[in-house]
Amino acid sequence: MPRREDLQTIMVIGSGPIVIGQACEFDYSGTQACKALKALGYRVVLINSNPATIMTDPEVADATYVEPLSVRFAEQVIAREKPDAVLPTVGGQTGLNLAMALAEQGVLERYGVELIGAKPEAIEVGEDRAKFKEAMEDIGYSCPRAGTAETLQEAEEILKDVGLPAIIRPSYTLGGTGGGVAYNLEEFRTIVAHGLDLSPTRQVLVEESVLGWKEFELEVMRDLADNVIIICSIENFDPMGIHTGDSITVAPAQTLTDVEYQRLRDMSLRIIRRVGVETGGSNIQFAINPKDGEVRIIEMNPRVSRSSALASKATGFPIAKIAAQLAVGLRLDEISNDITQVTPASFEPTLDYVVVKVPRWNFEKFPEAKRNLGTSMKSVGEVMGIGRTFSEALLKAISSLEGGYPSATDFTDSQLAAALSIASPDRMAAVFECLRRGVDPSEVQRSTGIDRWFLGELAEIVAVEQQLQGRFLDGVSDEELRRAKQTGIPDAHLALILNCTEADVVERRKAGGIEPTFKRVDTCAAEFESFTPYLYSTYEEEDEAGESDSDRVIILGNGPNRIGQGLEFDYACCHAAFTVRKAGLTAVMLNNNPETVSTDYDTSDKLYFEPISKEHVQAVIDREQPLGVILQFGGQTPLKLSHRIGPVLGTSPDAIDICEDRDRFNELAQRLGIRQPEGALATTVEEAREAAGRIGFPLLVRPSYVLGGRAMRICYSSQEFESALGEALEASEGNPLLLDRYLEGAVEYDVDALCDGEDVYIAGIMEHVEEAGIHSGDSTAVLPAVLLSEENRKEMVEATTKMALALGVIGVVNLQFAIHDDVPYVFEVNPRASRTVPFVSKATGVPVASLATRLVLGEKLADMEQELKNKGAGYYFVKAPVFPWARFPGSDVVLGPEMRSTGEVMGVGRSFGEAYAKSQIAAGLNFPEDGGVFLSIRDRDKTELEDIARSLHSLGYKLWATTGTHAALEEMNIPSQHVFKVNEGRPNIVDQIKNGAIKLMINTPSGKKGLLDELAMRLAGLRYGTPCITTMSGGRAAISAIESLRSGDVEVVKLQELQ
Amino acid sequence: MGGILLLQDGRSFSGESFGANATSVGEVVFNTSMTGYQEVLTDPSYCEQIVTMTVPHVGNYGVNDEDVESSKPQVAAFIARSFSRTYSNFRAEDGLDRYLRRSGIPGLHCIDTRALVRHIRDKGAMKAVVSTDGTPLATLQQMLLDWPGMEGRDLAHVVSTPEPYVFSEGEPSQKQVHVLDGGVKQNILRLFASTGAGVKVFPANTPAELLKDGADLVFLSNGPGDPAALPSMVGEVKKLVGQVPLVGICLGHQLLGLALGADTFKLRFGHRGGNHPVRDLDTGRVEITSQNHGFCVDAAGIEKAGGRVTHINLNDQTLEGFVHEDLGLMAVQFHPEAAPGPRDSQHLLLERFLAFAETNRKET
Ligand SMILES: Nc1ncnc2c1ncn2[C@@H]1O[C@H](COP(=O)(O)OP(=O)(O)O)[C@@H](O)[C@H]1O
Ligand SMILES: Nc1ncnc2c1ncn2[C@@H]1O[C@H](COP(=O)(O)OP(=O)(O)O)[C@@H](O)[C@H]1O
Ligand SMILES: [Mg+2]
Ligand SMILES: [Mg+2]
């Protein structure tokens, strides 16, 4: 069947902000889908609230709407664009849910829009666990026994059948949010109650446990002619009970015989047919009892998923792209395999390497939450290692995590035993440590459920290590060294165990001719020639990197997503690659994050899927002999290498050093006459006290050399200072403490600028809604600035210009300012692309990352006049963060100097209120139309109370307030109802939240950590979906948003319309 | 212990050994299946071949008594990137190392198998020798010179059953299938038998008369070697054409092609793996098939003889199956019995072949 001719316009739904369980894999899949549909000649309409995506770049789709993914806004887009069809399967769970809502609410029917890829009936069978189970039984397959409960009593009834331990899963939540494993009745009741609260349908599934069974996933594709193929099999290193998103996973499956594998394959084929997914990709999860091979089906996702992105990168088979082509009627055998060019896509990829995915967690940001892993996903990112063996792939993945070699030497035996039996991010290190201490693999198998085969491979790694441990480098034979490298042990670790430097190891290796070779990922195990240099390193004979026709430029990516360094940086790296390509040079991408667009072999001319470490980057440099390496787009990860590799293109390593070195930076700022908050460095308690006395309070205390505001504290008094001191000194591990005057109530600004060494262009000045002190990544920001005076604007522009020129920035630079008492101060300078680059690019239409790349390649700003024109004039753009609170039960929702948001959305409007309203709706906050608003404001903020309270009152909300706030309101003659705090009596604020009397909370925390009743109240809000605003400026912005929503003229904006 | 693979064109690969300490000569080929090394090892079609698995790890799940395609490993030697001593599977009865050692088969790992595959892909399947017992290089070179190679080799008679035997009595009401064994895979027999059919297996040199006697369907099996080297078998098959419904797989497909007067030719490096897309021209569907063949039938010859092409390989458009309705014969080049590989085409063995026997029943 050729492409469908009856369709002209197709709407693609994106997945919205990055959240745990739904990350940039959907930018990858959505971008592929849009490009594929466009290439087939369709007009593509896109809706996605996430501005940091490649897919929302104006050239990817024909009509792009960065708008909230809700029925209201999607309907507006449909009304304007009149799509013939909607493709719901490339935008994750969010895309699927929105499409279902559009179907259920009759929107699709009203506008005559067809769902392609998956029909509502199929989506329902795939997504509704009860229906899915029924369907499976229908075809003779079994799922774990289970029942759906709407009350605790019903749940306990089901428990009688399934028994303990039991798995509890709230219906319709993403990535297992709120679910868990109950080992006793008490736990059971807690989890069920919590789960009922979290489920939008107030249902939980209570399920028989198959903890400890082996977990597998198959990626399946089907076309309209009913051809079905398996793209990839994935085996979980961690057994059932640890979410696949939190598991180390391996492709292809390693411990299945052909009989067992074919059984899963046959089942997958029947399942996709029974569920009725007509075209596209699906993911099916299986559990297998290691004792007798019994199989249970866990779930199916009738759409492309995190695993399908991984499978695409693991095999070279672009699942999302092909899914889009299938959705419009093409058959698998009509599509050709990009890599071989001569064979069709109707085949099953075969791997002659092993791929290992390892998750990246950020538990340190949520100290109140437990570090345990379970059925609810907690990781924020992942890396993939490719090697010719499992051990090589695993160790490369671990290197890609940037967290050092797995080791737990300081654990006692009993600590080790605990770390083995309770899954946590430390488990891998604990397993290695046990094997090093000679614990029998079968014992490790018993306490972890990890398959013997994997442990056998780990034991081999340990054997290789131990053979070298403590010897002299000179005494190690070439053979032994080669073996260690083939096993995947990094040079840095060899240096450690051989007691020499990494440079010594490298020298010794080269002397022995032990150097990496590069192999291709080609879908076919070399059976056919490959035309796409998608490469990984290994220590073998033959090298396939191939030669290029033009000079090479290497772009270093940003590695795994983590809080503070995510999709925004991948966005910039992709643009760097596109631009290098356009310049007629060979773009060489080096990255290891399988979720991303940057690791699509289509993005660059050559892709090296490698750890971003000195060793691996150097190997690629040696092989490619590039013009240079571009570091400035991958966040901190490549910057850390700036002194160890070269040549660096763009801003010099020395300039980077100045920005990182406090003393050098202070000196420069002083020389340039740029104001900084008064500050000091201190290494001892005495020094710190002395500095505190000099600077005064409030005071910002933080360790140096940490990222994303780690362990940063604001102290208002010497008591608070004393208590913060110990913790901060400890966290800084011998590095000096940074003490700064805390600019209270200051308005913070982010400035992104381009510089070619002679001229500076200010790309954007973003104003934070929340005051300084709340991490810039966690702040809501607006462009253009609303409060900024012309004078201060000039001063910031001037400071930015001077700074960029003085540093000799070539490319992009980011400065953070705060205006305190009408005076601008600079906080820091980042000589690299910032998190806000994609937002600025979307808001102004100026392709910042791409222009920065051209500057790096030697072009001048003077020649770019046309491209530097701001196309966003007349609109406001608001960027709002999204937080993972629900994933980390127990953590407070209060914002502070430590960044904790995982992603962002953008709202665009003719007024600030409209843009802000959209941004908040997109971030999941729903402003109530009426009902109660609760106010509990700390004393410091009471001066600002009147404005807010009066506005809310005149908007018709009923005000509730705690004692102090209530008294203040009485004085202002604003009516409010008093309500108890948690410890004061009943009914208290939490009761009122539960009763639904309170629809919105504005609570500015009194600052001290110990105020449990405040915490309880905010957590209740979180649990019952009552939004909680924790800053006064946020409160004010909310009011302008509500006013704008009431006025009714909230309209969707097409990015391509901006001029 | 070290081991070496020496190729006919002088290229060699040194690695580590597993399995038996031995030296073994054969044609070096590669297989791209990611699972099923035990089925591969025991497939008689790999007789006198040195099989390289492209999947890096072998040995992972050990070996068992069930997943065998004949009574013993048949390959000349076995090569992979990495052999795992640790194995893990609830059905495993032994490790791969001992399994190969018991059969005297050398294994070689820790070599750049991808480089080897690319070499075979570019230069074609070729003569090679694997040695893990320290045999001097000169001897290995001599062995290569002495070994006759695949072309023109009649190996079907080497691996065939010496005596006829009944694999399955079958139900009286069901068809009787007579299998001409040129190296038949057990799963073909198992699948026929699972339908209730009676299955009787005959040696490769069985005359047509005997084969035909009492058969509702004569099945020509898969097997090793060069089909063009089997003139006597082709002669017997010719006698059967039109007399009894005839179906074939792989070597059987080639024999039927030759019997119709078509030619066979050697593919540069063969099709061996579990991911080959084949279009069934009758249904339009694409099936992912298991394949193992180095020779191929020329489609033009089939059409000239009045046959109809039913299956083609979508990777290289070669012939994968044909039918001659008037003469009552049909065959496929790939392996519908899978083992190892996808079972998309098992319906051929379970239904279509037997239905074909029914529609082409000869009144006698
Ligand atoms: N019955 C069960 N027993 C033990 N573990 C389970 C069971 N069901 C699911 N799990 C674990 O929980 C994880 C999440 O379950 P899954 O059904 O895949 O939900 P999600 O939609 O979050 O991916 C699985 O990856 C698996 O490890
Ligand atoms: N002197 C200060 N006064 C008030 N707030 C500050 C001050 N210094 C830093 N901050 C706040 O802390 C946040 C994080 O500090 P920053 O230096 O940007 O660290 P990071 O390197 O983690 O981005 C800033 O976004 C700002 O809101
Ligand atoms: Mg899942
Ligand atoms: Mg799911």
Side-chain angles (χ1 to χ4, degrees), chain B residues 25-29 46-51 76 125-128 147 149-151 266-268 272 294-295:
Chain B
V25 64
E27 182 185 51
V28 64
V29 297
Y46 285 111
C47 175
E48 294 204 23
Q49 285 178 328
I50 296 169
V51 178
M126 63 179 81
K127 295 185 199 177
W147 188 63
M150 264 307 147
E151 236 149 325
K266 193 168 195 294
L267 294 165
R268 185 148 52 132
R272 292 179 187 87
F295 293 89

PDB file of all heavy atoms in Angstrom, chain B residues 25-29 46-51 76 125-128 147 149-151 266-268 272 294-295:
ATOM      1  N   VAL B  25      38.765 -28.930   9.503  1.00  0.00           N
ATOM      2  CA  VAL B  25      38.726 -28.145   8.291  1.00  0.00           C
ATOM      3  C   VAL B  25      37.296 -28.111   7.747  1.00  0.00           C
ATOM      4  O   VAL B  25      36.510 -29.043   7.982  1.00  0.00           O
ATOM      5  CB  VAL B  25      39.745 -28.714   7.267  1.00  0.00           C
ATOM      6  CG1 VAL B  25      39.360 -30.102   6.857  1.00  0.00           C
ATOM      7  CG2 VAL B  25      39.920 -27.808   6.065  1.00  0.00           C
ATOM      8  N   GLY B  26      36.941 -27.042   7.069  1.00  0.00           N
ATOM      9  CA  GLY B  26      35.590 -26.945   6.514  1.00  0.00           C
ATOM     10  C   GLY B  26      35.406 -25.617   5.819  1.00  0.00           C
ATOM     11  O   GLY B  26      36.361 -24.865   5.611  1.00  0.00           O
ATOM     12  N   GLU B  27      34.169 -25.347   5.460  1.00  0.00           N
ATOM     13  CA  GLU B  27      33.864 -24.062   4.845  1.00  0.00           C
ATOM     14  C   GLU B  27      33.438 -23.103   5.950  1.00  0.00           C
ATOM     15  O   GLU B  27      32.527 -23.417   6.723  1.00  0.00           O
ATOM     16  CB  GLU B  27      32.716 -24.233   3.844  1.00  0.00           C
ATOM     17  CG  GLU B  27      32.357 -22.950   3.124  1.00  0.00           C
ATOM     18  CD  GLU B  27      31.129 -23.102   2.209  1.00  0.00           C
ATOM     19  OE1 GLU B  27      30.084 -23.600   2.678  1.00  0.00           O
ATOM     20  OE2 GLU B  27      31.239 -22.735   1.041  1.00  0.00           O
ATOM     21  N   VAL B  28      34.060 -21.924   6.006  1.00  0.00           N
ATOM     22  CA  VAL B  28      33.697 -21.013   7.084  1.00  0.00           C
ATOM     23  C   VAL B  28      32.523 -20.148   6.637  1.00  0.00           C
ATOM     24  O   VAL B  28      32.529 -19.558   5.558  1.00  0.00           O
ATOM     25  CB  VAL B  28      34.904 -20.166   7.573  1.00  0.00           C
ATOM     26  CG1 VAL B  28      35.441 -19.244   6.491  1.00  0.00           C
ATOM     27  CG2 VAL B  28      34.505 -19.359   8.815  1.00  0.00           C
ATOM     28  N   VAL B  29      31.472 -20.150   7.471  1.00  0.00           N
ATOM     29  CA  VAL B  29      30.254 -19.398   7.172  1.00  0.00           C
ATOM     30  C   VAL B  29      29.843 -18.655   8.440  1.00  0.00           C
ATOM     31  O   VAL B  29      30.401 -18.901   9.507  1.00  0.00           O
ATOM     32  CB  VAL B  29      29.095 -20.338   6.754  1.00  0.00           C
ATOM     33  CG1 VAL B  29      29.441 -21.069   5.472  1.00  0.00           C
ATOM     34  CG2 VAL B  29      28.736 -21.315   7.868  1.00  0.00           C
ATOM     35  N   TYR B  46      24.886 -28.235   8.496  1.00  0.00           N
ATOM     36  CA  TYR B  46      26.169 -27.572   8.740  1.00  0.00           C
ATOM     37  C   TYR B  46      27.344 -28.534   8.682  1.00  0.00           C
ATOM     38  O   TYR B  46      28.453 -28.196   9.096  1.00  0.00           O
ATOM     39  CB  TYR B  46      26.163 -26.858  10.092  1.00  0.00           C
ATOM     40  CG  TYR B  46      25.357 -25.585  10.077  1.00  0.00           C
ATOM     41  CD1 TYR B  46      24.160 -25.488  10.781  1.00  0.00           C
ATOM     42  CD2 TYR B  46      25.800 -24.474   9.358  1.00  0.00           C
ATOM     43  CE1 TYR B  46      23.421 -24.313  10.765  1.00  0.00           C
ATOM     44  CE2 TYR B  46      25.071 -23.304   9.338  1.00  0.00           C
ATOM     45  CZ  TYR B  46      23.881 -23.228  10.039  1.00  0.00           C
ATOM     46  OH  TYR B  46      23.159 -22.063  10.014  1.00  0.00           O
ATOM     47  N   CYS B  47      27.091 -29.728   8.163  1.00  0.00           N
ATOM     48  CA  CYS B  47      28.146 -30.721   8.051  1.00  0.00           C
ATOM     49  C   CYS B  47      29.333 -30.134   7.276  1.00  0.00           C
ATOM     50  O   CYS B  47      29.152 -29.501   6.227  1.00  0.00           O
ATOM     51  CB  CYS B  47      27.568 -31.925   7.327  1.00  0.00           C
ATOM     52  SG  CYS B  47      28.746 -33.193   6.971  1.00  0.00           S
ATOM     53  N   GLU B  48      30.500 -30.288   7.814  1.00  0.00           N
ATOM     54  CA  GLU B  48      31.757 -29.794   7.217  1.00  0.00           C
ATOM     55  C   GLU B  48      31.785 -28.273   7.078  1.00  0.00           C
ATOM     56  O   GLU B  48      32.482 -27.731   6.238  1.00  0.00           O
ATOM     57  CB  GLU B  48      32.038 -30.475   5.862  1.00  0.00           C
ATOM     58  CG  GLU B  48      32.305 -31.961   6.061  1.00  0.00           C
ATOM     59  CD  GLU B  48      33.119 -32.604   4.947  1.00  0.00           C
ATOM     60  OE1 GLU B  48      33.846 -31.883   4.235  1.00  0.00           O
ATOM     61  OE2 GLU B  48      33.030 -33.823   4.815  1.00  0.00           O
ATOM     62  N   GLN B  49      31.028 -27.614   7.931  1.00  0.00           N
ATOM     63  CA  GLN B  49      31.130 -26.157   7.945  1.00  0.00           C
ATOM     64  C   GLN B  49      31.631 -25.662   9.296  1.00  0.00           C
ATOM     65  O   GLN B  49      31.338 -26.250  10.340  1.00  0.00           O
ATOM     66  CB  GLN B  49      29.778 -25.515   7.603  1.00  0.00           C
ATOM     67  CG  GLN B  49      29.493 -25.632   6.110  1.00  0.00           C
ATOM     68  CD  GLN B  49      28.164 -25.060   5.710  1.00  0.00           C
ATOM     69  OE1 GLN B  49      27.208 -25.086   6.478  1.00  0.00           O
ATOM     70  NE2 GLN B  49      28.092 -24.558   4.489  1.00  0.00           N
ATOM     71  N   ILE B  50      32.388 -24.592   9.224  1.00  0.00           N
ATOM     72  CA  ILE B  50      32.859 -23.922  10.427  1.00  0.00           C
ATOM     73  C   ILE B  50      31.899 -22.754  10.634  1.00  0.00           C
ATOM     74  O   ILE B  50      31.851 -21.844   9.814  1.00  0.00           O
ATOM     75  CB  ILE B  50      34.299 -23.420  10.241  1.00  0.00           C
ATOM     76  CG1 ILE B  50      35.233 -24.624  10.048  1.00  0.00           C
ATOM     77  CG2 ILE B  50      34.730 -22.561  11.423  1.00  0.00           C
ATOM     78  CD1 ILE B  50      36.636 -24.242   9.600  1.00  0.00           C
ATOM     79  N   VAL B  51      31.112 -22.836  11.694  1.00  0.00           N
ATOM     80  CA  VAL B  51      30.054 -21.846  11.859  1.00  0.00           C
ATOM     81  C   VAL B  51      30.494 -20.750  12.820  1.00  0.00           C
ATOM     82  O   VAL B  51      30.919 -21.021  13.941  1.00  0.00           O
ATOM     83  CB  VAL B  51      28.756 -22.514  12.357  1.00  0.00           C
ATOM     84  CG1 VAL B  51      27.678 -21.456  12.576  1.00  0.00           C
ATOM     85  CG2 VAL B  51      28.296 -23.573  11.377  1.00  0.00           C
ATOM     86  N   ALA B  76      31.827 -28.506  11.804  1.00  0.00           N
ATOM     87  CA  ALA B  76      33.247 -28.845  11.826  1.00  0.00           C
ATOM     88  C   ALA B  76      33.936 -28.131  12.974  1.00  0.00           C
ATOM     89  O   ALA B  76      34.796 -28.699  13.653  1.00  0.00           O
ATOM     90  CB  ALA B  76      33.888 -28.456  10.495  1.00  0.00           C
ATOM     91  N   ALA B 125      32.095 -17.179   1.213  1.00  0.00           N
ATOM     92  CA  ALA B 125      32.388 -18.302   2.105  1.00  0.00           C
ATOM     93  C   ALA B 125      33.587 -19.040   1.524  1.00  0.00           C
ATOM     94  O   ALA B 125      33.699 -19.190   0.312  1.00  0.00           O
ATOM     95  CB  ALA B 125      31.182 -19.219   2.189  1.00  0.00           C
ATOM     96  N   MET B 126      34.505 -19.468   2.387  1.00  0.00           N
ATOM     97  CA  MET B 126      35.718 -20.088   1.850  1.00  0.00           C
ATOM     98  C   MET B 126      36.219 -21.203   2.744  1.00  0.00           C
ATOM     99  O   MET B 126      35.733 -21.409   3.848  1.00  0.00           O
ATOM    100  CB  MET B 126      36.800 -19.028   1.656  1.00  0.00           C
ATOM    101  CG  MET B 126      37.242 -18.378   2.940  1.00  0.00           C
ATOM    102  SD  MET B 126      38.527 -17.157   2.643  1.00  0.00           S
ATOM    103  CE  MET B 126      37.546 -15.771   2.116  1.00  0.00           C
ATOM    104  N   LYS B 127      37.215 -21.899   2.228  1.00  0.00           N
ATOM    105  CA  LYS B 127      37.826 -22.989   2.995  1.00  0.00           C
ATOM    106  C   LYS B 127      38.571 -22.406   4.179  1.00  0.00           C
ATOM    107  O   LYS B 127      39.184 -21.337   4.077  1.00  0.00           O
ATOM    108  CB  LYS B 127      38.838 -23.734   2.137  1.00  0.00           C
ATOM    109  CG  LYS B 127      38.250 -24.472   0.955  1.00  0.00           C
ATOM    110  CD  LYS B 127      39.361 -25.252   0.297  1.00  0.00           C
ATOM    111  CE  LYS B 127      39.015 -25.645  -1.117  1.00  0.00           C
ATOM    112  NZ  LYS B 127      40.130 -26.352  -1.771  1.00  0.00           N
ATOM    113  N   ALA B 128      38.528 -23.135   5.258  1.00  0.00           N
ATOM    114  CA  ALA B 128      39.208 -22.647   6.454  1.00  0.00           C
ATOM    115  C   ALA B 128      39.511 -23.817   7.367  1.00  0.00           C
ATOM    116  O   ALA B 128      38.929 -24.904   7.218  1.00  0.00           O
ATOM    117  CB  ALA B 128      38.329 -21.638   7.181  1.00  0.00           C
ATOM    118  N   TRP B 147      41.632 -30.297   1.408  1.00  0.00           N
ATOM    119  CA  TRP B 147      40.169 -30.391   1.575  1.00  0.00           C
ATOM    120  C   TRP B 147      39.471 -29.966   0.277  1.00  0.00           C
ATOM    121  O   TRP B 147      39.794 -28.935  -0.308  1.00  0.00           O
ATOM    122  CB  TRP B 147      39.718 -29.512   2.741  1.00  0.00           C
ATOM    123  CG  TRP B 147      38.270 -29.711   3.084  1.00  0.00           C
ATOM    124  CD1 TRP B 147      37.691 -30.851   3.538  1.00  0.00           C
ATOM    125  CD2 TRP B 147      37.219 -28.739   2.951  1.00  0.00           C
ATOM    126  NE1 TRP B 147      36.348 -30.665   3.712  1.00  0.00           N
ATOM    127  CE2 TRP B 147      36.022 -29.376   3.362  1.00  0.00           C
ATOM    128  CE3 TRP B 147      37.171 -27.408   2.523  1.00  0.00           C
ATOM    129  CZ2 TRP B 147      34.795 -28.730   3.369  1.00  0.00           C
ATOM    130  CZ3 TRP B 147      35.951 -26.761   2.536  1.00  0.00           C
ATOM    131  CH2 TRP B 147      34.772 -27.414   2.952  1.00  0.00           C
ATOM    132  N   GLY B 149      36.503 -28.810  -0.459  1.00  0.00           N
ATOM    133  CA  GLY B 149      35.559 -27.680  -0.523  1.00  0.00           C
ATOM    134  C   GLY B 149      34.128 -28.157  -0.673  1.00  0.00           C
ATOM    135  O   GLY B 149      33.857 -29.362  -0.693  1.00  0.00           O
ATOM    136  N   MET B 150      33.228 -27.199  -0.760  1.00  0.00           N
ATOM    137  CA  MET B 150      31.789 -27.515  -0.773  1.00  0.00           C
ATOM    138  C   MET B 150      31.268 -27.831  -2.164  1.00  0.00           C
ATOM    139  O   MET B 150      30.421 -28.699  -2.341  1.00  0.00           O
ATOM    140  CB  MET B 150      30.984 -26.321  -0.258  1.00  0.00           C
ATOM    141  CG  MET B 150      30.611 -26.367   1.190  1.00  0.00           C
ATOM    142  SD  MET B 150      29.779 -27.863   1.678  1.00  0.00           S
ATOM    143  CE  MET B 150      30.399 -27.978   3.354  1.00  0.00           C
ATOM    144  N   GLU B 151      31.743 -27.071  -3.105  1.00  0.00           N
ATOM    145  CA  GLU B 151      31.167 -27.221  -4.433  1.00  0.00           C
ATOM    146  C   GLU B 151      31.396 -28.640  -4.944  1.00  0.00           C
ATOM    147  O   GLU B 151      32.482 -29.200  -4.823  1.00  0.00           O
ATOM    148  CB  GLU B 151      31.747 -26.187  -5.408  1.00  0.00           C
ATOM    149  CG  GLU B 151      30.645 -25.380  -6.048  1.00  0.00           C
ATOM    150  CD  GLU B 151      31.052 -23.973  -6.396  1.00  0.00           C
ATOM    151  OE1 GLU B 151      31.845 -23.372  -5.634  1.00  0.00           O
ATOM    152  OE2 GLU B 151      30.578 -23.470  -7.418  1.00  0.00           O
ATOM    153  N   LYS B 266      25.802 -21.081  -6.501  1.00  0.00           N
ATOM    154  CA  LYS B 266      26.265 -20.839  -5.135  1.00  0.00           C
ATOM    155  C   LYS B 266      26.147 -19.350  -4.819  1.00  0.00           C
ATOM    156  O   LYS B 266      26.551 -18.502  -5.610  1.00  0.00           O
ATOM    157  CB  LYS B 266      27.725 -21.281  -5.005  1.00  0.00           C
ATOM    158  CG  LYS B 266      28.216 -21.368  -3.560  1.00  0.00           C
ATOM    159  CD  LYS B 266      29.559 -22.102  -3.511  1.00  0.00           C
ATOM    160  CE  LYS B 266      29.955 -22.549  -2.119  1.00  0.00           C
ATOM    161  NZ  LYS B 266      30.224 -21.556  -1.164  1.00  0.00           N
ATOM    162  N   LEU B 267      25.563 -19.051  -3.678  1.00  0.00           N
ATOM    163  CA  LEU B 267      25.512 -17.662  -3.221  1.00  0.00           C
ATOM    164  C   LEU B 267      26.878 -17.293  -2.667  1.00  0.00           C
ATOM    165  O   LEU B 267      27.607 -18.158  -2.179  1.00  0.00           O
ATOM    166  CB  LEU B 267      24.469 -17.519  -2.103  1.00  0.00           C
ATOM    167  CG  LEU B 267      23.014 -17.739  -2.500  1.00  0.00           C
ATOM    168  CD1 LEU B 267      22.166 -17.939  -1.245  1.00  0.00           C
ATOM    169  CD2 LEU B 267      22.489 -16.560  -3.305  1.00  0.00           C
ATOM    170  N   ARG B 268      27.213 -16.005  -2.716  1.00  0.00           N
ATOM    171  CA  ARG B 268      28.568 -15.637  -2.289  1.00  0.00           C
ATOM    172  C   ARG B 268      28.833 -16.054  -0.840  1.00  0.00           C
ATOM    173  O   ARG B 268      29.812 -16.696  -0.534  1.00  0.00           O
ATOM    174  CB  ARG B 268      28.777 -14.134  -2.431  1.00  0.00           C
ATOM    175  CG  ARG B 268      30.204 -13.719  -2.103  1.00  0.00           C
ATOM    176  CD  ARG B 268      30.626 -12.533  -2.905  1.00  0.00           C
ATOM    177  NE  ARG B 268      29.620 -11.495  -2.750  1.00  0.00           N
ATOM    178  CZ  ARG B 268      29.890 -10.231  -2.457  1.00  0.00           C
ATOM    179  NH1 ARG B 268      31.125  -9.855  -2.323  1.00  0.00           N
ATOM    180  NH2 ARG B 268      28.926  -9.349  -2.342  1.00  0.00           N
ATOM    181  N   ARG B 272      22.223 -17.334   6.216  1.00  0.00           N
ATOM    182  CA  ARG B 272      22.163 -18.134   7.441  1.00  0.00           C
ATOM    183  C   ARG B 272      21.784 -17.234   8.596  1.00  0.00           C
ATOM    184  O   ARG B 272      22.543 -16.329   8.951  1.00  0.00           O
ATOM    185  CB  ARG B 272      23.509 -18.810   7.725  1.00  0.00           C
ATOM    186  CG  ARG B 272      23.844 -19.870   6.700  1.00  0.00           C
ATOM    187  CD  ARG B 272      25.179 -20.536   6.925  1.00  0.00           C
ATOM    188  NE  ARG B 272      25.448 -21.410   5.788  1.00  0.00           N
ATOM    189  CZ  ARG B 272      26.040 -20.994   4.663  1.00  0.00           C
ATOM    190  NH1 ARG B 272      26.441 -19.748   4.529  1.00  0.00           N
ATOM    191  NH2 ARG B 272      26.213 -21.843   3.668  1.00  0.00           N
ATOM    192  N   GLY B 294      23.570 -22.215   1.194  1.00  0.00           N
ATOM    193  CA  GLY B 294      24.648 -21.584   0.449  1.00  0.00           C
ATOM    194  C   GLY B 294      24.395 -21.642  -1.043  1.00  0.00           C
ATOM    195  O   GLY B 294      25.016 -20.924  -1.817  1.00  0.00           O
ATOM    196  N   PHE B 295      23.450 -22.508  -1.442  1.00  0.00           N
ATOM    197  CA  PHE B 295      23.115 -22.634  -2.856  1.00  0.00           C
ATOM    198  C   PHE B 295      21.686 -22.168  -3.076  1.00  0.00           C
ATOM    199  O   PHE B 295      20.884 -22.126  -2.143  1.00  0.00           O
ATOM    200  CB  PHE B 295      23.265 -24.090  -3.321  1.00  0.00           C
ATOM    201  CG  PHE B 295      24.692 -24.555  -3.297  1.00  0.00           C
ATOM    202  CD1 PHE B 295      25.230 -25.122  -2.147  1.00  0.00           C
ATOM    203  CD2 PHE B 295      25.514 -24.408  -4.419  1.00  0.00           C
ATOM    204  CE1 PHE B 295      26.551 -25.527  -2.117  1.00  0.00           C
ATOM    205  CE2 PHE B 295      26.839 -24.822  -4.393  1.00  0.00           C
ATOM    206  CZ  PHE B 295      27.359 -25.388  -3.239  1.00  0.00           C
TER     207      PHE B 295
END
